[in-house]
Amino acid sequence: MGKVFCEQNVLDAFMDRMEFIFANFNHVVVAFSGGKDSGLMLELLNLYYTKHRPSAQVSVYHIDYEGNYQHTIDYVSRCMGRYDYFQYYHLCMPVSASCGVSMYQATWMPWNPEERDIWVKEMPPGAISIETHDFDFFEIGMSDYIFQTRFGKWLHEKSCALRTAVLVGIRAQESLNRYHAVARGDGSSAFEGANYSTEIFPDIYNFYPLYDWSVEDVWIANGKYGFDYNKLYDLFYLAGVPLAEMRVANPFHICGVDSLKLYRALEPNTWGRLIGRVNGANFGALYGGTKAMGYKDISLPKGHTWKSYTEFLLDTLPEHTAGIYRRKFETSLNYWLEKGGALPVKVVDELELAGVRLERLGKPRGNRKYAGEYEMVRFFEYPDRIYSKDFRIIPSYKRMCVTILKNDTSCKYMGFGQTKDELQKQRSAMEEWENIM
């Protein structure tokens, strides 16, 4: 990522963004996770608000994933209601959340009313739950990401706002996906050309006002202004966790599997409840971040090709889970062997030099925009493995093995999104749960 040098520091840039947002939106929503970024965003927003007293209404919401550290619970409790001129929504809803620790379930459902006896903690006082909500859009088991989006729309309509800005505390430094969220290039979905924004619904936009902050900037601001923060980060620091790897999120999310083990060391009582909550939590804590779960460079067992190892792994899985992978893998095989897919030209050249048999089909057709020069290719044989630094974007049986070991039933590692069939199954499950309730 190239650096842009300018005379303005990130704090002044944030305040300028607040001025722009409050000048154009009469409802501002803070998506508060209880982590360092959203916590800082809330405090900086309050600094701006108390100085300028804009007329816009401000709402703050927190989605509670049930399995939190006690320090996070305490911090959220301190923040939800801290500034009485804001409105607060503490959401404890049974939504479908990512689960990267179990071979038996790709998602889990915090606050599942059918599993009340194994909840990690009691329902927080004053929280909005399945029994108390009045959301006309809610369906039990709906995706947490869909819930967040629909909740923003619900808040927009409830407040009778002309325009709603939802502030999300993501920073481009943390990942290429987050960088992409604020660097789309054409600005077609941005509000009046603000590259740190994207349209969600008509008159509702997500804004990322911290996108250009570094993790060091975050802690400098907390220290300079004496802001309250989640004291869990102090424990992370004492445990030797690098600043860039400190995360507060859904404990079973695939991105946080390798940090599950910290629960055992930092909060053993919470850990005891977590291992009884989701199948595979203990395995994830033991082997997250290792070859056993597809991290680092996994080794091929003696006597196997990556193709045969893929079949071996599939045969060890529950039938339903194996079926999900087989369908996705068959799609990948058909795609690359029959239709063909797009790869960077430099990667195609590299594959040809390595002796990989493929057919070059010319430039990609359609409206999709590529960052750089791409070319369509069709493989004569599906590669067993590819020796390339661009391993993740090139089809291979080794990539399939890594996907299985990561418990990635959605196959995001291979570039898959949700299919129509999967979305329909999700809707059917929601309807079934709704009838039960």
Side-chain angles (χ1 to χ4, degrees):
M1 181 170 63
K3 291 186 177 180
V4 178
F5 297 91
C6 59
E7 296 179 0
Q8 190 177 45
N9 63 46
V10 290
L11 178 60
D12 291 340
F14 179 92
M15 292 304 175
D16 284 352
R17 289 163 194 158
M18 290 301 100
E19 183 175 0
F20 174 76
I21 290 169
F22 279 105
N24 290 282
F25 293 79
N26 65 338
H27 185 210
V28 176
V29 178
V30 178
F32 174 68
S33 70
K36 62 184 182 300
D37 299 327
S38 64
L40 175 65
M41 187 171 64
L42 175 61
E43 298 295 347
L44 292 177
L45 170 66
N46 181 62
L47 276 186
Y48 179 88
Y49 191 91
T50 53
K51 180 178 180 180
H52 298 282
R53 289 292 175 177
S55 59
Q57 175 184 332
V58 176
S59 302
V60 182
Y61 78 86
H62 170 71
I63 297 181
D64 192 322
Y65 283 96
E66 184 195 319
N68 297 318
Y69 286 96
Q70 187 59 47
H71 276 300
T72 300
I73 296 170
D74 295 341
Y75 177 58
V76 169
S77 178
R78 295 195 302 271
C79 291
M80 298 301 285
R82 169 173 287 161
Y83 305 115
D84 57 12
Y85 32 84
F86 297 161
Q87 292 187 337
Y88 298 86
Y89 301 84
H90 189 151
L91 304 166
C92 295
M93 303 297 293
V95 293
S96 176
S98 170
C99 179
V101 301
S102 176
M103 290 289 187
Y104 290 84
Q105 55 187 109
T107 61
W108 76 292
M109 191 187 301
W111 309 112
N112 184 343
E114 298 294 312
E115 299 175 341
R116 188 182 297 268
D117 57 328
I118 59 171
W119 284 357
V120 178
K121 65 176 182 180
E122 293 297 318
M123 184 73 64
I128 299 172
S129 68
I130 188 67
E131 289 88 6
T132 62
H133 81 89
D134 60 349
F135 307 138
D136 55 359
F137 66 88
F138 183 74
E139 296 176 305
I140 193 166
M142 69 190 302
S143 159
D144 55 349
Y145 293 108
I146 294 175
F147 174 78
Q148 287 184 69
T149 304
R150 298 283 179 82
F151 179 72
K153 186 172 185 285
W154 180 86
L155 278 177
H156 172 74
E157 294 169 351
K158 181 176 184 289
S159 65
C160 300
L162 296 177
R163 288 200 194 105
T164 293
V166 181
L167 308 187
V168 183
I170 67 173
R171 295 179 295 104
Q173 182 193 47
E174 293 202 310
S175 72
L176 286 175
N177 285 338
R178 295 189 171 198
Y179 172 71
H180 177 71
V182 292
R184 288 171 301 280
D186 60 3
S188 59
S189 64
F191 179 77
E192 294 191 358
N195 68 321
Y196 56 97
S197 68
T198 186
E199 185 178 33
I200 304 302
F201 290 108
D203 299 318
I204 306 173
Y205 290 79
N206 275 358
F207 281 83
Y208 314 103
L210 289 174
Y211 80 92
D212 51 356
W213 286 55
S214 69
V215 65
E216 291 82 8
D217 292 331
V218 171
W219 291 113
I220 289 171
N222 280 330
K224 179 178 180 179
Y225 290 97
F227 291 146
D228 186 16
Y229 62 91
N230 188 339
K231 298 305 187 284
L232 175 63
Y233 290 100
D234 293 340
L235 296 183
F236 282 159
Y237 180 78
L238 293 173
V241 180
L243 289 180
E245 296 179 17
M246 297 179 180
R247 295 283 188 275
V248 174
N250 163 16
F252 306 116
H253 194 282
I254 190 169
C255 296
V257 168
D258 58 337
S259 63
L260 254 181
K261 56 184 175 290
L262 291 172
Y263 272 91
R264 293 186 301 173
L266 301 181
E267 288 188 13
N269 290 335
T270 302
W271 173 243
R273 294 190 291 272
L274 281 176
I275 59 176
R277 188 68 179 90
V278 170
N279 175 280
N282 194 47
F283 181 87
L286 288 172
Y287 299 108
T290 72
K291 296 178 182 180
M293 293 193 70
Y295 292 81
K296 308 187 186 301
D297 189 21
I298 66 172
S299 302
L300 181 65
K302 188 176 180 180
H304 275 290
T305 63
W306 288 105
K307 180 179 180 180
S308 67
Y309 189 36
T310 299
E311 285 298 328
F312 170 80
L313 291 174
L314 289 171
D315 288 341
T316 67
L317 296 176
E319 184 177 348
H320 173 71
T321 307
I324 294 173
Y325 284 119
R326 290 186 189 279
R327 287 190 292 273
K328 292 286 183 75
F329 293 171
E330 189 63 31
T331 297
S332 180
L333 287 163
N334 292 337
Y335 181 76
W336 289 103
L337 297 178
E338 297 179 14
K339 179 181 177 181
L343 290 173
V345 170
K346 64 180 183 64
V347 173
V348 179
D349 292 339
E350 179 185 348
L351 291 174
E352 278 198 324
L353 286 174
V356 177
R357 295 179 61 242
L358 55 82
E359 181 182 3
R360 305 183 81 139
L361 304 175
K363 293 184 178 180
R365 298 183 179 88
N367 297 323
R368 179 177 175 181
K369 294 184 177 180
Y370 293 90
E373 190 178 1
Y374 274 65
E375 186 173 357
M376 294 292 292
V377 298
R378 183 165 49 223
F379 290 85
F380 289 102
E381 299 157 351
Y382 202 82
D384 200 56
R385 75 160 297 169
I386 296 291
Y387 295 93
S388 171
K389 63 183 178 63
D390 297 298
F391 166 80
R392 283 194 61 174
I393 66 171
I394 304 171
S396 70
Y397 283 105
K398 182 179 179 181
R399 192 172 68 160
M400 291 181 180
C401 289
V402 174
T403 299
I404 296 171
L405 291 171
K406 284 182 176 293
N407 278 335
D408 181 15
T409 52
S410 65
C411 295
K412 287 184 179 179
Y413 187 78
M414 295 176 62
F416 278 86
Q418 275 191 305
T419 65
K420 291 182 179 179
D421 181 56
E422 289 169 335
L423 291 170
Q424 180 56 47
K425 287 182 178 178
Q426 177 179 300
R427 283 191 291 268
S428 298
M430 289 176 180
E431 291 171 3
E432 182 178 344
W433 272 99
E434 191 173 46
N435 293 333
I436 292 174
M437 293 304 293

